[in-house]
Structure formats: C-alpha cells, structure tokens
C-alpha cells in the first residue's frame, strides 16, 4: 500500500504544480504581467504553502489516521482548484472598476492585489503546503526512518511537480487550453483523494498525545534547533534566489520562450527530486549526521560557484558550434544542457540535504508532523524571501554574478557553522581549509569575469560594441552600436528594436494616423526605442500615451535614441505609463482615436497576451467612433498557420479590416468604419520626410502595400484557430516555427497574400489619381514576386522581376532600393539599368 500512496503523492504533486502555473498565468491577465504584480501572486502563493505546512502539521499531531486526513485534503484541494479558477476568471471586472486599478506601483494598488490573491489562494495553497508533513508522519513509526521517508516523499512530490510543469508547458495548455487543463488536474486530484481514502484503513495509527509538544521540537536542543532553522531557511532562500538568477543567466543565451521557461523549471524540480531519491543509496543511515549535512552544504556552495565559472566556457563552445541550435529540438536540448552545467549538481545536493536537515531537526517520531511542518514552513518562507529579494534587490543592486556568489557564500557560512560545532579538530581543520581554498579560487575566477558582457558580446559583430547595460528586476536591458553599425536595444538575448530603416516602426504609426480622418488622441503599446510613438507625434495630434511594461526600457532609451524617436521622452504631448499594455487598456476609462501595438516577437513568453481576441476587444472598447487599431505582424519568422491565426483573431473583432504588407512586415488595421484614405490629405513636411526615409514617401506609396479587406481575410483564415486567453496557441507554436528548419513559411504566406489582392481603388476616397495608385500597386506586386523568386534561389527571375517593377514605376523608392540591394548582394551592380547607374555615380564617394 505504501507504493500506491507514493504514486498518489507523485500525481498530486503534478496537479499542484499545474495549478500554480495556470493560476499565476491567469493572475497575469487580471493584475497585469508586470514584475510587481507577478511577485505579489508568487509571494502570496508561497506564503500559503508555508502557513499550510505549519498549521496542518500541528493538526496532524492529534489525528489517528493521517492518510485519511491526506485524502480529505486532496478532495478539498481538487474542489477548491475548480472554484479558484472561476473566481480568478470573473474577478477582472471588479479589479478594473477600482479607481486605482492601473496604479499597481502605489501602496493601495499593491495591497489590493495582495488581499484579493490571498482570499482566492489561501485555501488551496495551505492544503498544498500541509500534505508533506502529514504524509511523512503517516508512514513513519521509527525514528530511524524519518530521514529516509522524508527524502522519498519529498522526492516523489518534487518529481510529481516536475511532471506537472512538463505536462502543462508542453502538452496540456497547447492541446486542451487553460480551462480544461485546470479541470483535468482538479479531477485527477479528486481521484487521488478518493484513492487515499480507500487505502487509508491500511495506515491506522494513534494520535501523538505527548503533553506539551512544542512545534520547535522539545526533543531538540535549543542551539541545535536554531542551527537547523537558520540553515534550512538559508537553503530555501538560496534555492529560489538562484532559480531566478539561473533563469536570467540562461536568457542571456537563448530567447525567452514558454518552452525555455518550462525546461528550466522542469530541470530544477527534476534535480531536486533526484537528490531526494538517491539519498538513501549514497548516504547510509549511520552517517546521516550534522557533519555530513555540513559537508553537503559546503559542496553545494562550491558547485554553485563552479557552475557560474563553467557556464561562460559552455557558452563559448555554443558559439563555436552554432548548428547546435538551428532547430527547436536542438535548442531545447541545449537549454537543458546549459542548465545542468549551471545548476545540476548544486540542486541535486539541495534535494539531498533538505531531508537530512529536516530529519536531524525533527529527531523524534512523536510530534513529527508538527516539527516537520514548522521547519518546512521556515524553508518556504526563506524561498519566498529569495524570490522577492532576487527580483527587487539583489539582481538590480549586485547583478547576477554578485547574487550567485552571495548565495554561495551564505551556504558556505552555514556549513562552516555546523563544522565549528562538530567535534574533532583533526577532521575540522582540513575540511574547513580545503573548502575555503576551493571557494576562494572559484570566487577569484568569477570576479575576473566581465559578466554579463562576456556572454552578450558574442552576439555582436566586430563593428558593434555595448554602449549601455543594466540588469533590471525583470530583464537585462542593453544597447549596442558603433560607428558603422545601427543602434539596437536588447532585452536579454533578444534584439527588440533598432534604428534600421526597414520601416516597421514608422509605418506602425503612419498607417493608422494617415488612414484616420482626424486623429487627436493616440495610445501606443510597447515602447521599445520609442520610434513608433515618436513618429506619431510628427503628425498634428493632441496627445500620445506610451505604455511600456518594463521601466528599465524607458531609462535605457532616455537620451540615447532622441534623434530616432524625435525626442519623445521630452515632448509635453507624450505621457509615459509603466504598465502591462493589455491591463492598461482593460482598466482605463480613456478613449483614443488610434491605438498602435508593436509588441515583442510572438514567440517570446507572455507576448501572446497582446495577440489574443480579448486584447483586441479591449482595444475596441477604448476606441472613439471611427477609431483605428494597428497591429504589427512579423511574417518573416512566423509560419503560415501562426500568421493567419494572428490575422483572423483581429479580423473577427472589427467590422472593417485592411491588410498591408511592407517587405516582410504586415500591418492589420481594424475599425468600426470603412478604412479609406484621401490621397489629397495634407501631411506635415516632417511626416513626408520620414515616410520617404522608410521608402514610402507618399500616401499612394503606402497604399500600394494594400492586400485586401476583412472579407477575404476571414475566408482565407477560416481553417486556422483564433487565439484566446483560454487557448493561447500562438505562444506554443511560434517558438517551434521560429526555430524550424523549413524556412518556406514567409515565401508561402507572401504567395497567399498576392492571391488575395483587392482592387487598389477600394482603399481610396476623394480626389484620386488612379493611374499613380495603380503604378504603386503594380510595382509593389512585382517586387513581392521578386522577393519570392529570390527566397527560392531563382536569382535570374528575381532580377527580371525587380527590373520590371522599376520599369512599371521608376518613382518607387522601395523598388529601386530592392534592386540595388539584390544586385549588390550578388556582385552584379554592373547590371543596373542605365537610369540607376547615374544615381549610383552621384551617390558614390
């Protein structure tokens, strides 16, 4: 029966971790995905675990059949999991109705979120925290078995959590959606409760009726008890601090996708579980002493520092063999390998030392659940402190390197304290000296690193250098540039914006504002370098609201992109809002004429929230009559299915839509009115100048990129799924598409777009020069055909099509530049048309 109980506990652990991922994700939609909001939820979650372990551990002392108690806890957890899901799903209107809904950084805003999340999560999290001490006591009647049973149950529960993280991140949400995933986990949890109740009759015991049992351990000397309270509090703190730091270090190497997050969490839990499992095989009962505990702490400290030292070497090899991550599968295995190098051994040692420390502290069977509950709560409170301090204090203040070395030092200090209290100088002196010397060497090597610059600079060419770098609470923001290089702003490993002239930033502003008859108030989502929002202010609008989730991005851009973003941060017409863009729109009472969104790439974790049906509904609610929403869609690294899903999701929300394609950037406009433009509309000179800069120097030019309207978009996308909060398919498919070996997606989507072309006349109103309009449509169509031929390797056909595009419309700057670039890349500039050779001579130095 014990094996059945262990299996039940493993599956219950999987369900618990599934809830944690699902609920935190849902709270991100309700509270906003800011660091502050998510930290509040994580803090409340872990606080509930700590309280539950302490409270239910004390209750279990007086219970005769703890397995039956465990069964009822599982039934309660499964039931409450269903209630919590629907409570979170329906709490959003209440949050948005509060006057301080969008002021998360205020004291009242933070307090409100703490209270709401506490009310919703207190019952299930307390139950989760109470199951381990209850079950350890349920199967332990001999003090010699305390450590072994604690290790086994801890391992099974942790491995179950690992299974839950893997299932939710790779299988359940992508295939079933969030609601069904929650219901499946809750149903399984209830079933585990029923099984536990069914087998509970085989685990009869008696209450621990010893008078005056103290939760801190009456049978443990005060000094010894305090040592373990401090040590396990430190290991909890270090474990969660390092989990945050290790994730940040990994993100310097790979892009922040949902799969990378899942791999890191799964690996962390796997190594913890392995540590608990191998304890009984590697450490015999007779040597599970304080001295052994101290040795494990000292080894943990050394390997924490060693992983940090070895990681740059592994990263260097990663760049020597770049083919390692040419596909999504290889990238996943590489990520797992990096995490093992960085954290594998110290986390395994954490998994081994935790049961030993708990067992040494608990000491006696009578009152065991109470003492285990208390010390587990201490460890969890340490974890809570680590998760919060790592985000808000340690990494911003001393960086990833400083945080790693501080954690190593804290663990070694705890080990030295246990060594100092142990007997036998002959044993202590060499161990203390050896550990200190090894750690000193690791620290010296680590301090010699120019970290994280030494990792990041491998992303750069010889002409680029790092101009700014800041390790912020949520990400590492850095800016690169050079005398002959475009300037870029990066978030961790991802290049998020640049000063290149491809046009996506400018056109995200020009399209919706030009197509709106008289825009006055504009909102922008995702600041980046501020070029899109600064471009908006070139137009005669009254005000601009720029929403950015990461304040470090604004700090980095201030004074560094003033030329490119037209000094938007000092423009009195602009207002900066630090918040989740989705949450801002759902909570604000403001109305706008134009909303433009240029979020991160769809494959990045969390960005899907700005591509969902609910996001577009929030945008629609914030529009004035006749208002326009503009969404940027990158076709160059999105598969056919993902591209059409993004387009369809937006098209089903708005009565009128229009799709435009500029090179590899698609723009979808949505409105409640027909989307038309008067080509005689007067544009300020600075607007014309900027449009010319991005090779769309007139209204006819940008209209030449028009593909089709809503009816054709809905017809072409009818077989593709709509992206919703419940089924955020894009977040799971986009990373796979991004790293796929098949690069035919952009070619195929362009070919499908060209098959949908609506008459160019449909996009105009007023006094129209239809001959000019048709010339731009024809030249842009030929250019697209040339791009397809170039992608497919048919360079002669591509040259022919680019030349035909030029002959059709010699005034089309974009077509001229495409031809120049194509012939230059293939060393065929001598084949330029004669008219363009004159231009080449004039522009040559």
């Amino acid at each position: 029966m014990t094996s059945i109980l262990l299996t039940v506990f493993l599956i219950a652990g999987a369900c618990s971790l599934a809830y944690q991922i699902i609920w935190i994700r849902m709270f991100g939609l309700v509270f906003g995905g800011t660091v502050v909001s998510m930290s509040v939820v994580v803090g409340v979650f872990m606080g509930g675990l700590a309280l539950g372990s302490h409270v239910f551990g004390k209750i279990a002392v007086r219970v005769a059949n703890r397995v039956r108690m465990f069964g009822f806890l599982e039934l309660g957890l499964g039931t409450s999991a269903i209630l919590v899901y629907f409570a979170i799903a329906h709490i959003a209107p209440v949050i948005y109705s509060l006057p301080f809904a969008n002021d998360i950084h205020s004291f009242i805003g933070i307090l409100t979120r703490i209270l709401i999340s506490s009310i919703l999560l207190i019952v299930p999290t307390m139950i989760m925290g109470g199951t381990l001490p209850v079950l350890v006591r349920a199967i332990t009647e001999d003090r010699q078995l305390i450590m072994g049973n604690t290790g086994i149950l801890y391992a099974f529960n942790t491995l179950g959590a690992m299974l839950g993280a893997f299932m939710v991140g790779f299988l359940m949400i992508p295939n079933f959606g969030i609601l069904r995933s929650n219901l499946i986990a809750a149903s399984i949890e209830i079933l585990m409760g029923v099984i536990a109740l069914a087998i509970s009759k085989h685990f009869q015991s008696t209450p621990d009726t010893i008078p005056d049992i103290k939760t801190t351990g009456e049978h443990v000397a005060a000094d010894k008890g305090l040592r373990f309270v401090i040590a396990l509090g430190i290991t909890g703190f270090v474990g969660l601090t390092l989990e945050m730091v290790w994730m940040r270090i990994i993100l310097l190497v790979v892009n922040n996708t949902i799969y990378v997050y899942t791999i890191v969490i799964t690996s962390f839990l796997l190594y913890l579980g392995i540590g608990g499992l191998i304890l009984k095989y590697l450490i015999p009962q007779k040597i599970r002493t304080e001295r052994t505990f101290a040795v494990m702490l000292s080894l943990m400290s050394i390997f924490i520092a060693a992983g940090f030292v070895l990681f740059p070497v592994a990263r260097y090899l990663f760049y020597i063999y770049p083919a390692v991550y040419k596909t999504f599968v290889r990238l996943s295995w590489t990520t797992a390998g990096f995490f093992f190098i960085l954290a594998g051994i110290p986390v395994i040692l954490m998994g081994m030392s935790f049961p030993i420390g708990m067992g040494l502290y608990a000491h006696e069977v009578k009152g065991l659940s109470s003492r285990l509950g208390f010390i587990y709560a201490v460890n969890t409170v340490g974890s809570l402190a680590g998760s919060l301090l790592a985000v808000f204090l340690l990494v911003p203040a001393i960086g990833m390197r400083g945080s790693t070395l501080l954690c190593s030092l804290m663990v070694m200090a705890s080990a030295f304290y246990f060594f100092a209290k142990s007997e036998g100088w002959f044993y202590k002196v060499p161990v203390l000296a050896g550990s200190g010397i090894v750690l000193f060497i690791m620290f010296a090597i680590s301090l010699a690193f120019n970290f994280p610059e030494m990792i990041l600079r491998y992303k750069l060419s010889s002409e680029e250098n790092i101009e700014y770098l800041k390790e912020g609470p949520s990400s590492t923001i850095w800016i690169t540039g050079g005398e002959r290089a475009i300037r870029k702003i990066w978030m961790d490993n991802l290049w998020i914006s640049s000063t290149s002239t491809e046009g996506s930033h400018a056109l995200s502003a020009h399209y919706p504002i030009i197509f709106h008859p008289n825009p006055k108030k504009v909102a922008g989502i995702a600041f980046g370098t501020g070029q899109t929002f600064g471009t908006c202010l070139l137009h005669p609008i009254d005000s601009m609201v720029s929403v950015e989730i990461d304040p470090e991005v604004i700090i980095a851009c201030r004074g560094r992109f003033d030329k490119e973003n037209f000094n938007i941060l000092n423009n009195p017409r602009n207002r900066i809002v630090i918040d989740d863009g989705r949450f801002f729109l759902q909570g604000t009472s403001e109305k706008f004429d134009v909303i433009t969104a240029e979020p991160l790439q769809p494959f990045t974790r969390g960005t899907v929230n700005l591509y969902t049906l609910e996001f577009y509904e929030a945008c629609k609610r914030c529009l004035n009559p006749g208002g326009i929403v503009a969404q940027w869609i990158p076709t160059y690294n999105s598969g056919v299915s993902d591209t059409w899903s993004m387009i369809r999701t937006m098209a089903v929300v708005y009565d009128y839509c229009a799709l435009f394609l500029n090179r590899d950037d698609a723009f979808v406009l949505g409105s409640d009115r027909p989307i038309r433009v008067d080509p005689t509309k007067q544009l300020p000179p600075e607007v014309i100048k900027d449009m010319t800069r991005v090779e769309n120097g007139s209204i006819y030019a940008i209209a030449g990129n028009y593909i089709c309207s809503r009816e054709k978009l809905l017809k072409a996308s009818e077989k593709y799924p709509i992206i919703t909060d419940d089924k955020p398919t894009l977040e799971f498919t986009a990373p796979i598409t991004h790293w796929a070996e098949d690069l035919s997606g952009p070619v195929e989507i362009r070919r499908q777009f060209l098959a949908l072309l609506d008459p160019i006349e449909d996009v105009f109103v007023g006094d129209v020069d239809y001959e000019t309009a048709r010339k731009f449509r024809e030249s842009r169509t030929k250019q697209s055909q040339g791009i397809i031929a170039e992608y497919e390797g048919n360079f002669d056909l591509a040259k022919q099509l680019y030349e035909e595009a030029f002959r059709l419309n010699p005034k089309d700057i974009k077509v001229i530049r495409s031809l120049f670039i194509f012939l230059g890349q293939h060393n065929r500039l001598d084949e330029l048309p004669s008219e363009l050779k004159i231009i080449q001579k004039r522009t040559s130095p």
Side-chain angles (χ1 to χ4, degrees):
M1 289 300 167
T2 301
S3 60
I4 296 177
L5 185 61
L6 289 174
T7 303
V8 167
F9 198 42
L10 182 143
I11 296 173
C15 295
S16 296
L17 208 286
Y19 302 143
Q20 181 177 350
I21 293 175
I22 290 171
W23 296 343
I24 289 176
R25 186 186 190 102
M26 293 179 67
F27 271 117
L29 297 174
V30 175
F31 288 167
T34 63
V35 176
V36 174
S37 293
M38 291 297 92
S39 297
V40 165
V41 176
V42 171
V44 168
F45 202 99
M46 300 188 70
L49 294 178
L51 182 61
S53 66
H54 183 48
V55 170
F56 286 111
K58 292 180 68 175
I59 294 174
V61 170
R62 298 171 176 82
V63 174
N65 193 322
R66 284 101 183 178
V67 174
R68 181 179 293 122
M69 178 181 176
F70 169 75
F72 282 119
L73 289 176
E74 289 298 294
L75 291 177
L77 179 55
T79 303
S80 65
I82 298 174
L83 298 176
V84 166
Y85 173 89
F86 288 104
I88 298 174
H90 290 87
I91 201 68
V94 177
I95 297 292
Y96 301 140
S97 66
L98 299 175
F100 41 82
N102 281 344
D103 194 4
I104 178 58
H105 299 280
S106 71
F107 173 77
I108 296 178
I110 294 173
L111 181 61
T112 301
R113 284 157 175 76
I114 291 174
L115 290 175
I116 292 174
S117 54
S118 296
I119 291 171
L120 295 180
L121 296 179
I122 188 64
V123 171
T125 55
M126 284 186 64
I127 293 174
M128 291 178 195
T131 54
L132 178 64
V134 170
L135 275 193
V136 171
R137 178 63 185 91
I139 65 172
T140 305
E141 296 294 337
D142 185 342
R143 63 180 294 179
Q144 299 297 318
L145 299 177
I146 292 176
M147 291 184 195
N149 288 346
T150 301
I152 289 295
L153 284 170
Y154 176 72
F156 268 71
N157 192 235
T158 304
L159 291 174
M162 179 272 296
L163 178 64
F166 179 84
M167 293 292 291
V168 168
F170 278 93
L171 299 174
M172 293 177 69
I173 294 179
N175 290 287
F176 303 115
I178 294 176
L179 170 59
R180 291 184 180 180
S181 296
N182 192 87
L183 293 177
I184 291 171
S187 301
I188 295 173
E189 192 93 60
I190 292 172
L191 176 61
M192 294 303 101
V194 171
I195 295 174
L197 290 175
I199 65 174
S200 62
K201 61 184 178 181
H202 299 284
F203 293 89
Q204 292 290 344
S205 185
T206 57
D208 295 342
T209 55
I210 293 180
D212 301 323
I213 290 292
K214 307 294 183 183
T215 59
T216 54
E218 184 180 39
H219 299 279
V220 181
D223 177 60
K224 179 179 178 181
L226 182 61
R227 293 207 299 273
F228 283 103
V229 168
I230 294 174
L232 291 178
I234 287 175
T235 56
F237 175 88
V238 166
L240 259 291
T241 297
L242 287 176
E243 183 180 3
M244 299 285 184
V245 172
W246 287 330
M247 176 71 80
R248 291 283 298 273
I249 293 175
I250 290 290
L251 291 180
L252 299 178
V253 176
V254 296
N255 291 333
N256 185 9
T257 69
I258 187 64
Y259 294 113
V260 169
Y261 173 81
T262 302
I263 289 168
V264 170
I265 297 299
T266 300
S267 299
F268 186 87
L269 294 169
L270 173 64
Y271 300 144
L272 278 179
I274 289 174
L277 281 180
I278 65 176
L279 173 63
K280 65 181 294 185
Y281 302 105
L282 295 185
I283 311 294
Q285 177 69 38
K286 63 181 180 180
I287 64 169
R288 294 175 192 171
T289 62
E290 289 188 44
R291 185 177 293 174
T292 301
F293 183 66
V295 170
M296 296 179 72
L297 290 178
S298 63
L299 290 174
M300 189 191 308
S301 172
I302 291 170
F303 280 106
I304 289 170
F308 184 80
V309 169
L310 291 174
F311 182 78
V313 177
R315 180 55 174 153
Y316 175 74
L317 294 176
F318 184 81
Y319 274 108
I320 291 179
Y321 303 104
V324 167
Y325 72 109
K326 283 296 178 65
T327 69
F328 170 74
V329 173
R330 293 172 188 165
L331 176 66
S332 299
W333 279 111
T334 303
T335 301
F338 277 142
F339 188 78
F340 177 77
I341 293 170
L342 192 64
I345 296 178
V347 177
I348 289 173
L349 289 168
M350 289 179 194
M352 294 175 65
S353 62
F354 182 71
I356 291 181
M358 292 185 71
L360 290 171
Y361 173 81
H363 192 65
E364 294 287 348
V365 171
K366 296 299 183 181
L368 174 62
S369 63
S370 181
R371 289 191 291 276
L372 285 183
F374 172 75
I375 198 68
Y376 187 35
V378 169
N379 181 262
T380 306
V381 169
S383 300
L384 167 60
S387 65
L388 296 179
L389 290 179
V391 170
F392 293 107
L393 179 61
L394 294 181
V395 173
I398 59 177
M400 290 174 275
R401 174 177 57 187
S403 300
T404 302
L405 298 183
L406 175 63
C407 289
S408 177
L409 187 61
M410 290 175 67
V411 175
M412 185 60 78
S414 181
F416 279 13
Y417 182 75
F418 275 91
F419 279 134
K421 289 292 183 179
S422 63
E423 298 179 356
W425 283 99
F426 179 78
Y427 166 84
K428 285 193 291 188
V429 172
V431 172
L432 287 171
S435 299
I437 291 171
V438 172
L439 191 61
F440 176 80
I441 294 172
M442 294 296 177
F443 268 52
I445 297 173
S446 300
L447 293 173
F449 290 166
N450 187 20
F451 192 89
E453 291 91 332
M454 66 182 302
I455 301 294
L456 298 174
R457 69 186 177 201
Y458 285 107
K459 297 283 295 183
L460 309 180
S461 69
S462 59
E463 297 178 345
E464 294 177 295
N465 55 72
I466 298 176
E467 299 179 351
Y468 171 90
L469 191 148
K470 174 65 175 178
E471 297 176 58
S474 60
S475 55
T476 301
I477 304 297
W478 50 303
I479 295 173
T480 61
E483 187 176 341
R484 302 177 59 187
I486 63 173
R487 302 181 70 232
K488 305 173 185 176
I489 185 169
W490 304 70
M491 181 177 289
D492 298 320
N493 181 63
L494 181 64
W495 162 17
I496 62 174
S497 186
S498 76
T499 58
S500 63
T501 59
E502 83 287 347
S504 61
H505 303 310
L507 293 179
S508 290
H510 291 314
Y511 268 116
I513 293 180
I514 289 174
F515 274 77
H516 191 287
N518 188 29
K520 295 300 182 183
K521 193 172 183 179
V522 178
I525 308 299
F527 188 83
T529 56
Q531 293 176 84
T532 297
F533 305 161
T535 302
C536 290
L537 292 173
L538 294 179
H539 293 266
I541 63 174
D542 291 341
S543 64
M544 176 83 207
V545 177
S546 302
V547 185
E548 170 58 46
I549 193 171
D550 192 339
E552 296 296 332
V553 171
I554 304 297
I555 294 172
C557 288
R558 193 172 294 279
R560 296 181 177 88
F561 288 93
D562 289 352
K563 178 182 177 182
E564 292 80 12
N565 63 31
F566 307 104
N567 201 23
I568 184 176
L569 293 176
N570 296 311
N571 193 314
R573 289 186 293 157
N574 179 59
R575 173 164 59 96
I576 294 290
V577 173
I578 302 299
D579 206 342
D580 181 308
R582 158 84 172 267
F583 181 72
F584 168 78
L585 292 173
Q586 289 177 317
T588 187
S589 59
E590 295 184 76
K591 297 290 185 179
F592 304 95
D593 298 308
V594 166
I595 299 174
T596 181
E598 195 177 2
L600 295 179
Q601 300 281 2
F603 60 77
T604 56
R605 185 168 69 96
T607 302
V608 67
N609 296 336
L610 299 180
Y611 286 98
T612 61
L613 183 79
E614 291 81 1
F615 170 70
Y616 295 123
E617 289 175 340
C619 292
K620 184 177 182 180
R621 186 190 66 80
C622 291
L623 285 178
N624 287 316
I628 294 178
V629 170
Q631 178 69 292
W632 166 71
I633 295 178
T635 64
Y636 50 85
N637 61 5
S638 301
V640 173
S641 177
D642 290 343
T643 299
W644 279 121
S645 284
M646 288 186 275
I647 293 173
R648 182 173 184 78
T649 302
M650 185 172 178
V652 298
V653 173
Y654 299 96
D655 298 328
Y656 298 91
C657 286
L659 171 66
F660 299 84
L661 182 66
N662 183 73
R663 187 77 186 183
D664 293 317
D665 294 300
F667 303 90
V668 182
L669 305 185
S671 180
D672 63 346
R673 309 280 173 86
I675 299 172
R676 303 286 186 267
V677 64
D678 184 345
T680 64
K681 182 178 183 179
Q682 294 298 307
L683 300 177
E686 55 268 28
V687 171
I688 297 295
K689 179 180 178 182
D690 189 67
M691 292 169 61
T692 303
R693 176 183 65 87
V694 295
E695 303 156 7
N696 287 274
S698 68
I699 292 177
Y700 287 110
I702 68 168
N705 294 322
Y706 176 62
I707 300 296
C708 64
S709 63
R710 180 175 185 264
E711 290 71 23
K712 283 190 176 181
L713 294 178
L714 289 175
K715 179 66 175 177
S717 63
E718 60 185 356
K719 67 179 181 180
Y720 298 101
I722 294 172
I723 306 161
T724 66
D725 289 346
D726 183 57
K727 294 184 177 179
T729 51
L730 181 67
E731 187 168 35
F732 298 91
T733 56
I736 297 174
T737 302
H738 179 63
W739 291 106
E741 289 181 318
D742 182 11
L743 301 178
S744 62
V747 177
E748 179 57 29
I749 196 67
R750 184 180 295 274
R751 183 179 285 113
Q752 292 183 17
F753 282 174
L754 292 181
L756 298 175
L757 293 178
D758 272 337
I760 192 63
E761 293 83 357
D762 291 355
V763 83
F764 290 109
V765 293
D767 186 11
V768 184
D769 180 350
Y770 287 108
E771 182 180 356
T772 299
R774 294 186 190 104
K775 282 183 177 180
F776 274 99
R777 158 56 71 82
E778 292 168 358
S779 63
R780 296 295 167 90
T781 301
K782 284 291 182 183
Q783 181 206 29
S784 280
Q785 293 171 347
I787 291 172
I788 292 174
E790 185 178 353
Y791 269 126
E792 294 178 338
N794 193 339
F795 299 133
D796 289 334
L797 177 60
K799 175 178 176 292
Q800 176 186 332
L801 291 167
Y802 286 140
E803 288 179 345
E804 289 179 11
F806 169 67
R807 302 293 182 195
L808 284 168
N809 189 3
K811 295 181 179 180
D812 193 336
I813 304 171
K814 180 171 286 294
V815 166
I816 293 172
R817 186 168 183 268
S818 294
L819 184 55
F820 262 108
I821 292 175
F822 172 77
L823 294 177
Q825 287 176 340
H826 297 279
N827 297 316
R828 298 169 65 173
L829 283 173
D830 58 317
E831 300 178 26
L832 273 172
S834 57
E835 304 96 312
L836 294 182
K837 286 182 179 179
I838 296 174
I839 298 176
Q840 182 188 24
K841 290 179 181 179
R842 289 176 180 172
T843 56
S844 298

